Amino acid sequence: MTREFSDLPESIQTVSPRRLKERLDSGEQITILDTRKQPAFERWQITHPNAQVTNIPFSEFLDDAGVEQAEELPEGIPPGPLVTTCAVGLASKYVAEYLREVGQEATILEDGMEGWATIYEQHPVDTGSVATTVVQLHRPSSGCLGYLLVAGDEAAVVDPLRTFADRYQEIARSHDATIKFALDTHVHADHVSGVRAVAKQTGGTAVCPAGSVDRGLEFDPHLVDDGDTLALGGQEIVVRSLPGHTSEMVGYLFDGLLACGDTLFLDGVGRPDLEDGDAAEAAAGQLWDSLQSLNELSEDTTVAPGHVSPTTAPRADGSFTAPLGDLRQLRAFDEPRDEFIRRVTADLPPQPANYRDIIALNLGQQAAEDEEAFELELGPNNCAVSE
C-alpha cells in the first residue's frame, strides 16, 4: 500500500504540549518518536526523566520517489504506543498515520517542537514570608526560569521572556498587583529578553545592569548597580553584583530570596565564556569571587536560579529553588580558585544556538519580528557548567 505525501491524515489522535507535560510529570512513561532530521534532533529534543525519545527522520518512511511505503517500516521503531513529533507537527501526522496502518498506536504532539516551546509554567515559591509572594516561571523546553515578585499591589518580573511578554501582567493581576518593574539579571545569550516588551505593555520600568552599557547597550532602561535598591510595595529589591558568567551580572535580593541569574544553579554554576571566549579564565575567576561572596548571606536565603536542567527534581513546593545552605555543598564553594578556574573552562558544552544574534537583540543592536525571535531561541540554554 502506498500513499502520496499530499494525502494528509485527519483521524489521528493528538495531545497538546501542556497535556503531554502533565502526563510526564505525573510519572507516566512515554515513548516519543521525533521525526526531524538528525542535526535538528541532536541540537535539542524533549528531555524529561519519564520520556524515552527516539529519532527516526521522516525521510526514512519514504521510498526513493518520496512515497510512503507502509509495508516497509524503518528499523528502530519502539514497540507499543508512542507520541510522534517533528518541527511544527506536520510530518509527524503522516508518520502517526503510517504506524497506525501497520497496527501500532500513535498520537501526534500538537504543533510539534514549536508547540513544546510554548509551555510556560507557574510554581509558587515558599520563602517562608507572609509579607510577599514569589512565583517561579518555567519554560521546560529550554529550562529558562523567571520570577514574579509581589509586595502589596506592586509586582516585578525578573528575566522575562519576550515570547511570553503578554502574560506577565495577567499573572500579576491574579495576585492583585500590577507590574512596576521588568528586570534583567544580565545580557542573556540563550533567549530574547522581554524587559522592553513587558515595560511597553504594562507601563512599568525596564531595568538592566549598569554594566550592560559597556557591552554596547543601545536602548535606555533604568540602570542599576551593586547596592542600589528598588522600592516595591513597601519592600525593597536590593541589587547585588555577581560578575562571572557575564561581566555585568547582578542578582536581586527580595525578602529572603536571591534571584541570581546564571551565577549559581541547583547543580552547577554559570559558564564563563559566552561574553568573550578569550577571556573565559578571567571571567571564571570573577565567578569564583562572586560565589564566595554569597557566604555573606544567610544559609536560609532561597536561591532562585536563572535556569534548570531538565533532569533536576523540584523541591516540595514544585519550584526549582533551594536554600543557600544546601547549595554550599557544591564543590564550587570549597574548591581553590585555581582549580575552579581550570574546571569550569575545560570541556565547555556547545554554545547556545544563535547566541551572537540573541545577544545583539538583547543589547538593542539588532531588531527582529516576534516570529523570528521565537525561532532564534528554540533549543536548550547550555549556560551551565554542571557539577
Side-chain angles (χ1 to χ4, degrees):
M1 172 182 171
T2 63
R3 183 175 61 251
E4 296 295 334
F5 183 77
S6 60
D7 296 332
L8 183 65
E10 299 179 351
S11 57
I12 297 297
Q13 183 179 0
T14 64
V15 61
S16 70
R18 181 173 296 279
R19 178 58 185 149
L20 176 61
K21 179 65 163 47
E22 289 172 348
R23 288 169 58 187
L24 289 167
D25 288 345
S26 72
E28 183 177 349
Q29 302 290 315
I30 297 177
T31 300
I32 297 171
L33 175 61
D34 192 317
T35 66
R36 293 173 298 156
K37 294 180 179 179
Q38 187 175 7
F41 172 79
E42 290 181 348
R43 186 168 72 85
W44 77 297
Q45 63 274 157
I46 294 174
T47 307
H48 191 284
N50 297 321
Q52 177 185 342
V53 184
T54 299
N55 176 226
I56 300 179
F58 177 70
S59 59
E60 296 295 316
F61 292 83
L62 306 177
D63 66 12
D64 292 339
V67 176
E68 295 172 281
Q69 299 289 334
E71 295 87 354
E72 301 177 9
L73 280 173
E75 295 183 1
I77 299 290
L82 50 82
V83 174
T84 64
T85 189
C86 58
V88 296
L90 180 58
S92 55
K93 291 181 180 179
Y94 290 95
V95 172
E97 175 74 4
Y98 184 99
L99 293 172
R100 192 175 71 164
E101 289 177 355
V102 296
Q104 185 156 12
E105 183 181 344
T107 302
I108 306 159
L109 177 61
E110 292 177 5
D111 300 321
M113 295 302 292
E114 289 200 2
W116 184 253
T118 65
I119 302 174
Y120 204 42
E121 301 176 328
Q122 302 176 42
H123 303 287
V125 179
D126 182 6
T127 64
S129 173
V130 296
T132 60
T133 298
V134 177
V135 179
Q136 185 177 72
L137 307 162
H138 176 216
R139 189 183 198 182
S141 65
S142 63
C144 290
L145 299 175
Y147 299 89
L148 186 79
L149 315 178
V150 181
D153 61 358
E154 294 181 333
V157 58
V158 179
D159 289 339
L161 308 182
R162 175 171 157 181
T163 292
F164 304 106
D166 60 347
R167 300 194 191 182
Y168 298 108
Q169 188 75 295
E170 180 182 351
I171 298 170
R173 284 175 176 156
S174 71
H175 294 277
D176 300 319
T178 57
I179 299 289
K180 183 178 182 181
F181 299 113
L183 310 100
D184 262 346
T185 54
H186 64 293
V187 180
H188 298 279
D190 68 306
H191 68 260
V192 180
S193 167
V195 290
R196 284 180 287 172
V198 173
K200 182 178 180 180
Q201 291 183 21
T202 66
T205 300
V207 178
C208 294
S212 304
V213 174
D214 295 331
R215 295 193 60 188
L217 190 70
E218 293 190 8
F219 65 99
D220 189 27
H222 177 72
L223 299 173
V224 292
D225 212 338
D226 189 50
D228 289 348
T229 61
L230 300 167
L232 189 76
Q235 301 285 328
E236 281 189 338
I237 301 171
V238 180
V239 181
R240 188 178 184 96
S241 180
L242 295 172
H245 174 67
T246 64
S247 57
E248 81 290 348
M249 173 74 70
V250 300
Y252 296 106
L253 272 168
F254 175 72
D255 196 23
L257 177 134
L258 174 65
C260 62
D262 289 358
T263 299
L264 176 62
F265 304 122
L266 302 188
D267 47 13
V269 298
R271 61 189 293 175
D273 65 320
L274 294 182
E275 180 178 339
D276 182 354
D278 294 334
E281 289 191 2
Q286 286 185 314
L287 180 58
W288 186 89
D289 294 337
S290 293
L291 292 169
Q292 304 312 307
S293 76
L294 297 182
N295 287 318
E296 302 167 5
L297 302 178
S298 166
E299 65 178 13
D300 295 328
T301 300
T302 299
V303 173
H307 289 102
V308 68
S309 162
T311 58
T312 302
R315 64 190 296 192
D317 63 7
S319 73
F320 298 99
T321 60
L324 179 58
D326 290 355
L327 296 184
R328 283 177 178 152
Q329 299 176 24
L330 297 174
R331 59 176 161 168
F333 284 94
D334 293 325
E335 210 168 11
R337 195 173 195 271
D338 290 347
E339 290 183 16
F340 175 85
I341 292 171
R342 282 194 294 271
R343 178 171 65 86
V344 302
T345 56
D347 299 322
L348 287 161
Q351 292 158 326
N354 306 312
Y355 80 104
R356 294 190 186 279
D357 287 334
I358 291 172
I359 288 172
L361 282 171
N362 289 336
L363 288 169
Q365 297 172 349
Q366 294 181 13
E369 296 298 322
D370 289 345
E371 183 175 350
E372 180 186 357
F374 177 81
E375 294 287 340
L376 278 173
E377 64 188 11
L378 290 177
N381 66 77
N382 289 344
C383 289
V385 175
S386 174
E387 286 284 294

